[in-house]
C-alpha cells in the first residue's frame, strides 16, 4: 500500500512495491544554495573586523549559529516539511515547506518528479492542510496577528477564496468529510485572555464540524479534561480522532514540584556531564560516554500537536518498544450517538483510507489496523505525520 510520512522535517514516500525514498524539494535545495553563496560572498565583511576572539569563538559557543547569522550574513537553515496531503489522485501531493524566514505551499507530481510552487511568503503560518476534492481546492488553518487561527478555503492554485471561521480560538487540522462533501471537521482550542488582553492559557481542544452549505457549526466532542485531535470522517459517517488528556500549561501539580525538587541534584549533575562531554568532543574528538547501546537518532525534545515530548527515554529502548507518545494518546471511533470506542493506543498520527482501512504510528513504527490487531508496515524515527494515497 503506498503512503508517505514526515519525520524530523523530512518527507519519505513508500511506493506500492514497498520501495522507500526521501523526497527533496528542488526549491528548498536551491534556496539553501543561494543562502550559502550569499554567506560566502559576504564573508569578507566578518573578517574585516579583525581582532582575536580569545580561546572560544562565537561559533564555538553558539554552535555555529552566531557565525551563520552575524558573521556571514544570511542564515542557512535546512528546509523542513511541515505538513503534506494527497491531492486529486495518488500521484499528486500538496505540502508546506518551512524555510529560515518563510513558508511555501507546493504541489508535487510523483510520476514526473515535478515540483510546482504555488506561493512562498513570510506571513504564511499554517496549522494544518486538507484537500477538498469537491471544489476542487484546499482548506488550510492560518494564524492571525493576534495568535488566533482560522480556517480558509484556497483554490487549487493556492489563492484565497473565503474565510470559514473566526474568533479568539485556534481552529486547526481541518479535514473534509467523506460522507458529506460540504462538511469540514477540525480542532478548536479556545484562547483565554487576561484583563490586559494577553494570552493567559488555552482550553481543552474540542472536535467541531462546519457545514459550508449553511455556515452551521456543531460541537461533536468537548471535554475540559481531554483534547480531541486530528478529526476525520469516513463514508459511513464514523468520526475518528486522537483522544488524549488535556494538559493545562498554567497549572502546576504539587507532585511535579516535589519530583523536580527531588531530582534537582541529579539533573544538575547530568547537565554538568553534558557540558564536559561536549567539551571533550570539541577538543579531544572523543565522548565521555562509553556505556549504553548506540542510539540511531538524536534524543531531544520534539513538539507534537502542541505538546513537548522528551525522546531521551525512548532512545534507550529496543526499536520495537519505542513510542513517541504515551498510552493515553488513543485513537477513538465516535458513532452518530456520541459513543466512543478505542481502536489503538500510543497513536501520534493516523490516516483513514477511502476503503475504511486505517494506518497509525506511535512516532517510530507504522501500523495497519486489521481485525483489532496492529500489523507492522515499517519504521522510522520521530514520525510527525502519516498520509496515505487512498
Amino acid at each position: 500500500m503506498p503512503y508517505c510520512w514526515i519525520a524530523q522535517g523530512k518527507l519519505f514516500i513508500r511506493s506500492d512495491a514497498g520501495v522507500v525514498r526521501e523526497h527533496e524539494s528542488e526549491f528548498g535545495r536551491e534556496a539553501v544554495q543561494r543562502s550559502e553563496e550569499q554567506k560566502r560572498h559576504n564573508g569578507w565583511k566578518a573578517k574585516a573586523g579583525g581582532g582575536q576572539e580569545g580561546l572560544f569563538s562565537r561559533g564555538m559557543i553558539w554552535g555555529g549559529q552566531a557565525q551563520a547569522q552575524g558573521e556571514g550574513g544570511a542564515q542557512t537553515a535546512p528546509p523542513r516539511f511541515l505538513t503534506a496531503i494527497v491531492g486529486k489522485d495518488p500521484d499528486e501531493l500538496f505540502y508546506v515547506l518551512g524555510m529560515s524566514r518563510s513558508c511555501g505551499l507546493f504541489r508535487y507530481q510523483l510520476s514526473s518528479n515535478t515540483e510546482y510552487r504555488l506561493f512562498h511568503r513570510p506571513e504564511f503560518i499554517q496549522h494544518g492542510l486538507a484537500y477538498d476534492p469537491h471544489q476542487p481546492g484546499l482548506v488550510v488553518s492560518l494564524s492571525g496577528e493576534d495568535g488566533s487561527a482560522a480556517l480558509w478555503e484556497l483554490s487549487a492554485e493556492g489563492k484565497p477564496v473565503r474565510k470559514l471561521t473566526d474568533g479568539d480560538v485556534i481552529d486547526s487540522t481541518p479535514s473534509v468529510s467523506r460522507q458529506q462533501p460540504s462538511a469540514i471537521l477540525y480542532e478548536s482550542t479556545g484562547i483565554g485572555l487576561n484583563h490586559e488582553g494577553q494570552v493567559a492559557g488555552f482550553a481543552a481542544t474540542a472536535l467541531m464540524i462546519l457545514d459550508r452549505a449553511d455556515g452551521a457549526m456543531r460541537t461533536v466532542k468537548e471535554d475540559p479534561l481531554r483534547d480531541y485531535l486530528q478529526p476525520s470522517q469516513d463514508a459511513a459517517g464514523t468520526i475518528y480522532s486522537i483522544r488524549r488528556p488535556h494538559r493545562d500549561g498554567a497549572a502546576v501539580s504539587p507532585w511535579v514540584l516535589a519530583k523536580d525538587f527531588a531530582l534537582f541534584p541529579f539533573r544538575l549533575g547530568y547537565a554538568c556531564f553534558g557540558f564536559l562531554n561536549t567539551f571533550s568532543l570539541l577538543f579531544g574528538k572523543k565522548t565521555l560516554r562509553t556505556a549504553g547501546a548506540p542510539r540511531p537518532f538524536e534524543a531531544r525534545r520534539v513538539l507534537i500537536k502542541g505538546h513537548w515530548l522528551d525522546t531521551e527515554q525512548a532512545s534507550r529502548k529496543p526499536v520495537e518498544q519505542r513510542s513517541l507518545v504515551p498510552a493515553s494518546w488513543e485513537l477513538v471511533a465516535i458513532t452518530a450517538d456520541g459513543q466512543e470506542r478505542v481502536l489503538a493506543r500510543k497513536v501520534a498520527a493516523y490516516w483513514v483510507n477511502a476503503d475504511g482501512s486505517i494506518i497509525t504510528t506511535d512516532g517510530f513504527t507504522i501500523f495497519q489496523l486489521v481485525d483489532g490487531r496492529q500489523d507492522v508496515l515499517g519504521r522510522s524515527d520521530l514520525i510527525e505525520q502519516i498520509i496515505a494515497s487512498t
Side-chain angles (χ1 to χ4, degrees), residues 108-127:
Y108 173 64
Q109 298 294 140
L110 280 74
S111 59
S112 60
N113 192 28
T114 306
E115 181 182 66
Y116 304 91
R117 183 181 62 169
L118 301 182
F119 61 80
H120 181 253
R121 53 179 180 259
E123 67 274 13
F124 181 61
I125 303 176
Q126 58 81 40
H127 301 276

Side-chain angles (χ1 to χ4, degrees), residues 140-204:
V140 64
S141 168
L142 295 178
S143 284
E145 296 181 355
D146 58 354
S148 64
L151 300 185
W152 284 78
E153 278 186 350
L154 305 180
S155 68
E157 292 74 34
K159 298 180 179 180
V161 176
R162 61 170 171 164
K163 193 175 185 180
L164 299 176
T165 64
D166 206 348
D168 292 330
V169 292
I170 300 176
D171 293 335
S172 57
T173 322
S175 67
V176 180
S177 169
R178 285 195 173 102
Q179 184 189 51
Q180 185 180 354
S182 62
I184 300 292
L185 294 88
Y186 62 97
E187 308 170 8
S188 186
T189 305
I191 303 175
L193 304 176
N194 58 22
H195 63 282
E196 297 178 350
Q198 300 174 337
V199 177
F202 299 93

Side-chain angles (χ1 to χ4, degrees), residues 25 42 52 66 74 89 96 101 105 150 154 189 207 213 223 234 305 309 333 338-340 346 350 372 386-387:
S25 168
N42 296 331
Q52 297 295 324
D89 55 60
V96 177
R101 300 177 179 87
L105 178 63
L154 305 180
T189 305
L207 195 161
D223 188 334
D234 63 16
K305 301 187 184 301
L309 302 171
Q339 297 298 314
E340 301 178 22
K346 297 183 179 180
Y350 77 98
I386 188 165
I387 314 102

